[in-house]
Amino acid sequence: MIVVRSILFNLAFYINLIGQMIVLSPAYFLLPRKKAMMIPKNWARSNHWLFDKIVGTTFEIEGLENIPKGQGYIFAPKHQSLWDTYALLPWQDDPFYILKRELTWIPLFGWYILKQRMVPVDRGARGRVMAAVMERAKAEMKSGRQLIIYPEGTRRPPGAPPEYKYGIARLYRDLQVPVLPVVMHPGLFWPRRKFLRYPGHFKVRILPPIPAGMDPDDFLAHLVDVMETASDKLLLETVEANPHVPLQPTAATRIAELRARSI
């Protein structure tokens, strides 16, 4: 049954993506930029509905009161799955990403990105190019937008050892805004590089913001400590609440380590 539901969901997900992108493009490109963002946000909500009704997976968000009001900030979530690339858009006022420039070359999808003034970057760029990217990010942040960036850079399976990149410390130093850490484990239900989707319920936990002004090295050490401590706690909670979900090796190993510590 899980295989059938996974196939149906994957088909529905991509049909929903392509269908909405085609049908709603005229409205998207005619609307002012910020108002047009309601279309991707509603697309995210429709995916939550599909995930619930087809697979049987739901989620809740804790800590919405921690979101800074009336200012720009860096939104720094754990990154485990395709799910977390779009899922929290409805709870961001005016988000933007720094993303690889190749994404802007994709028909329709790339145009959607450019409309929202996302900041494309050549991953191999250095010097002046990166300085220009930072200036673009600063300009967007000054208008009160939220930069979404994954501190570990790429998707990591639940329970994997942390591999935080120094890039978020540079952004924190240069942008001079708070960082909002977010932990979650959607990778247990929507694993990376796999087509299977598992039913269950999980939490997204938004932690208190880290204020601007720390030394970047101290900030990074603090971010890793705060996020990994909260992530471990939430991993245990999520697995205990969903004992039917098969554990990937990294999650099983980490769970065993955490339980051994509590003996």
Side-chain angles (χ1 to χ4, degrees):
M1 197 58 162
I2 286 177
V3 172
V4 173
R5 288 187 176 189
S6 298
I7 292 171
L8 289 174
F9 172 77
N10 289 330
L11 285 172
F13 177 84
Y14 286 107
I15 290 170
N16 187 40
L17 170 63
I18 296 169
Q20 287 203 37
M21 200 174 290
I22 292 172
V23 172
L24 298 177
S25 282
Y28 181 82
F29 290 109
L30 286 172
L31 286 169
R33 182 197 62 78
K34 189 172 180 180
K35 286 187 178 180
M37 191 61 193
M38 69 181 183
I39 291 176
K41 288 181 178 182
N42 286 333
W43 169 74
R45 292 186 182 98
S46 67
N47 288 328
H48 297 330
W49 186 86
L50 291 172
F51 208 17
D52 177 9
K53 301 307 177 186
I54 298 176
V55 181
T57 311
T58 58
F59 71 97
E60 62 183 292
I61 301 178
E62 297 179 346
L64 287 170
E65 69 278 3
N66 290 323
I67 296 178
K69 303 298 190 294
Q71 67 175 108
Y73 59 88
I74 297 171
F75 191 73
K78 275 282 190 179
H79 189 21
Q80 297 181 349
S81 167
L82 179 60
W83 185 88
D84 49 65
T85 62
Y86 69 82
L88 301 180
L89 288 177
W91 290 272
Q92 301 295 309
D93 178 46
D94 191 12
F96 74 102
Y97 294 84
I98 297 175
L99 41 75
K100 57 184 180 181
R101 64 176 180 174
E102 289 82 0
L103 292 174
T104 66
W105 302 343
I106 301 173
L108 279 182
F109 184 79
W111 305 338
Y112 271 63
I113 288 172
L114 293 172
K115 167 85 172 184
Q116 289 301 322
R117 296 205 310 261
M118 305 299 177
V119 182
V121 61
D122 179 353
R123 286 190 169 183
R126 296 290 185 272
R128 292 182 181 178
V129 174
M130 290 308 298
V133 168
M134 187 60 69
E135 288 305 310
R136 277 283 314 277
K138 285 180 180 178
E140 298 300 336
M141 196 66 72
K142 284 180 181 177
S143 64
R145 300 187 72 184
Q146 304 85 46
L147 170 59
I148 300 176
I149 188 167
Y150 305 101
E152 293 177 276
T154 190
R155 287 178 294 173
R156 305 275 293 156
E163 287 189 3
Y164 288 70
K165 310 301 183 186
Y166 198 76
I168 191 167
R170 294 192 184 99
L171 287 164
Y172 171 80
R173 176 196 64 198
D174 293 345
L175 295 177
Q176 289 293 302
V177 293
V179 170
L180 192 63
V182 182
V183 296
M184 51 188 165
H185 294 289
L188 293 170
F189 306 88
W190 184 330
R192 64 175 192 157
R193 301 172 187 164
K194 296 182 185 296
F195 85 93
L196 290 176
R197 309 287 177 258
Y198 298 102
H201 181 79
F202 65 96
K203 294 179 180 180
V204 175
R205 191 160 287 163
I206 301 174
L207 307 177
I210 301 173
M214 292 177 66
D215 172 84
D217 292 333
D218 293 340
F219 156 76
L220 185 59
H222 179 63
L223 178 71
V224 173
D225 179 57
V226 166
M227 287 191 70
E228 289 306 304
T229 299
S231 182
D232 283 343
K233 180 180 179 182
L234 187 57
L235 179 60
L236 280 171
E237 291 178 17
T238 307
V239 169
E240 288 170 359
N242 298 273
H244 60 283
V245 175
L247 295 182
Q248 298 168 53
T250 53
T253 299
R254 189 58 180 160
I255 290 287
E257 291 172 351
L258 293 171
R259 286 174 174 165
R261 287 182 189 176
S262 64
I263 293 175

